Amino acid sequence: MSESLGSGRPPTPEQKPTTALRRRLAELRGPATPARPLDARALAALAANPGCRRRALLDGAGVDKGALAEAIGSPSAAFGQSQFAFMRGNAFEAKVKGDGGTELLRLLHERMGAGAEPPGQALTPDLAAAGPEGRAARTALALREATESGGWALLDHPMLALEVAGSPAYLEPDAVVVHPDGRWTVVEIKSFPMIDAAADASKVGAAARQSAVYVLALERVAVLTKGASVDHSVLLVCPKDFSNLPTASVIDVRKQLAVTRRQLTRLARIEDIADELPPGTTFDLDGQSGASLATAVEAVPAVYAPECLAACELAFHCRGRARDEGTVTALGRSLRGELGALTTVGEVLAAARGESGDPSDPTVAAVRRAAALRAEAGAPCR
């Protein structure tokens, strides 16, 4: 990010959105509507689909996509945790961090100690400050001071800043541990169980992608902090088996980090997307009909893929549009990549029947061969 993050000062004006952009984004979501902050889960989903300008704009403007989907008649499936699961997760996190983080540091040394002396009492700096910018600056200062002290430090819910499509996002990992050698380790605490030292692969993968965003944000601070380095392995802490006792495993997030870094770089700048909207476009839920909001949504190009169903509240709306238009992206990214210039189901079927397409095109030749094989099996292409 900026040198100001490493020094503990707030970001300079050139690193923040311009006043005009802030005003424009506020108009898009409704001046009286508070912005929904971007979190690591949203950024991981955004990085997984960087071509979706719709999600980039709505997330950048802080629009409540769940409420928007409800208003346009395409309510999303239940997102997030139940209240019970939320309370259970908070109770487990408090248990892990209790007594000055003694249990957390024990787990970290057990999994990542590599023969070093077990942690004694760790420094737990106060990270309170006014607003997310102030907290991010205070976190950067605390990281620098902890690194210079040469001891253990546990930062509970630090605030990190990361620029996304020209706009800052403020991220809050569960914890960051500073080692005596200057390494910084991200700690993710989850309430799903680790049974026989293994957890659900899909949940671990989601945690890895989320942690990669935190590591990326930490790297922006570490590069400006003498003697600091960010560990590319994160500590995942979960309940052991069917108990409430914590256990941990180490996840290497280098692959997820490389993907996230590349994909976030590809994101179009939010102001560029906003400038292309028709005049008067707004996603203000107050005083607008569902039809007006649907028109506004359709004014922003989207890239739908089946994976969106697990990551975006507008996925059902976008899936319906993709099916109506017959786009092959609705069938999956891998198939879309295989079909090349054939972008709709109609084009694929026409090429398969020999009604269109260049026979010298390898893709056209492949679908015609598939159609011929299907016909030989007694199921003609319809």
Side-chain angles (χ1 to χ4, degrees):
M1 293 292 287
S2 65
E3 185 172 289
S4 57
L5 285 178
S7 63
R9 295 189 299 272
T12 55
E14 62 269 23
Q15 288 140 356
K16 303 180 190 177
T18 64
T19 301
L21 177 58
R22 287 181 185 274
R23 187 182 301 115
R24 180 74 175 102
L25 295 180
E27 291 172 353
L28 286 174
R29 68 174 178 270
T33 306
R36 290 176 64 90
L38 271 172
D39 57 16
R41 185 177 288 106
L43 283 182
L46 194 58
N49 191 8
C52 186
R53 298 165 74 87
R54 181 176 297 168
R55 173 150 198 168
L57 179 66
L58 294 175
D59 281 349
V63 175
D64 185 340
K65 297 195 300 299
L68 180 60
E70 187 82 27
I72 63 178
S74 299
S76 62
F79 274 78
Q81 294 178 315
S82 68
Q83 189 64 26
F84 174 75
F86 185 75
M87 293 172 62
R88 182 181 60 188
N90 282 346
F92 178 70
E93 182 176 334
K95 180 182 180 68
V96 172
K97 294 179 179 177
D99 194 21
T102 301
E103 180 65 10
L104 175 55
L105 292 173
R106 183 192 70 77
L107 288 170
L108 185 139
H109 177 261
E110 180 182 289
R111 302 297 183 186
M112 307 176 72
E117 287 296 318
Q121 189 67 31
L123 176 69
T124 53
D126 181 10
L127 303 179
E133 292 179 10
R135 288 187 59 201
R138 180 69 188 92
T139 294
L141 180 60
L143 286 167
R144 187 185 67 183
E145 292 173 345
T147 303
E148 291 175 351
S149 71
W152 290 95
L154 172 62
L155 278 66
D156 185 6
H157 284 287
M159 183 67 73
L160 306 172
L162 183 66
E163 185 175 302
V164 180
S167 182
Y170 294 97
L171 314 171
E172 190 175 5
D174 292 326
V176 171
V177 174
V178 178
H179 299 244
D181 60 4
R183 281 185 300 140
W184 301 347
T185 299
V186 170
V187 178
E188 267 295 282
I189 302 174
K190 298 296 186 182
S191 59
F192 57 79
M194 199 174 290
I195 301 173
D196 293 333
D200 182 273
S202 63
K203 293 180 179 179
V204 173
R209 290 189 294 272
Q210 186 174 335
S211 298
V213 176
Y214 297 138
V215 170
L216 186 60
L218 270 178
E219 286 182 341
R220 283 5 185 215
V221 186
V223 73
L224 302 168
T225 305
K226 184 178 180 180
S229 64
V230 182
D231 206 328
H232 290 166
S233 293
V234 305
L235 188 72
L236 175 64
V237 182
C238 299
K240 182 178 181 180
D241 298 326
F242 299 100
S243 71
N244 199 38
L245 298 175
T247 187
S249 66
V250 177
I251 306 175
D252 188 332
V253 298
R254 283 177 294 183
K255 178 180 178 181
Q256 292 85 354
L257 182 63
V259 171
T260 300
R261 183 183 289 114
R262 181 175 66 252
Q263 300 292 62
L264 290 180
T265 301
R266 290 176 55 199
L267 281 173
R269 293 180 64 84
I270 293 173
E271 56 262 48
D272 296 337
I273 304 173
D275 287 344
E276 294 174 1
L277 293 176
T281 299
T282 178
F283 304 98
D284 189 353
L285 299 175
D286 295 331
Q288 281 206 101
S289 67
S292 298
L293 289 169
T295 300
V297 168
E298 290 304 311
V300 191
V303 176
Y304 170 77
E307 297 88 338
C308 296
L309 293 172
C312 182
E313 295 88 336
L314 282 171
F316 288 99
H317 173 81
C318 297
R319 182 179 67 177
R321 289 292 182 270
R323 287 176 172 176
D324 291 344
E325 295 168 1
T327 58
V328 296
T329 52
L331 304 176
R333 289 195 182 95
S334 60
L335 182 60
R336 171 67 186 91
E338 293 287 340
L339 291 173
L342 303 177
T343 59
T344 69
V345 174
E347 290 177 352
V348 174
L349 293 178
R353 292 190 294 259
E355 298 170 359
S356 66
D358 182 356
S360 63
D361 185 332
T363 302
V364 174
V367 296
R368 288 184 180 176
R369 176 60 178 159
L373 292 174
R374 184 179 177 87
E376 289 176 9
C381 181
R382 294 194 298 270

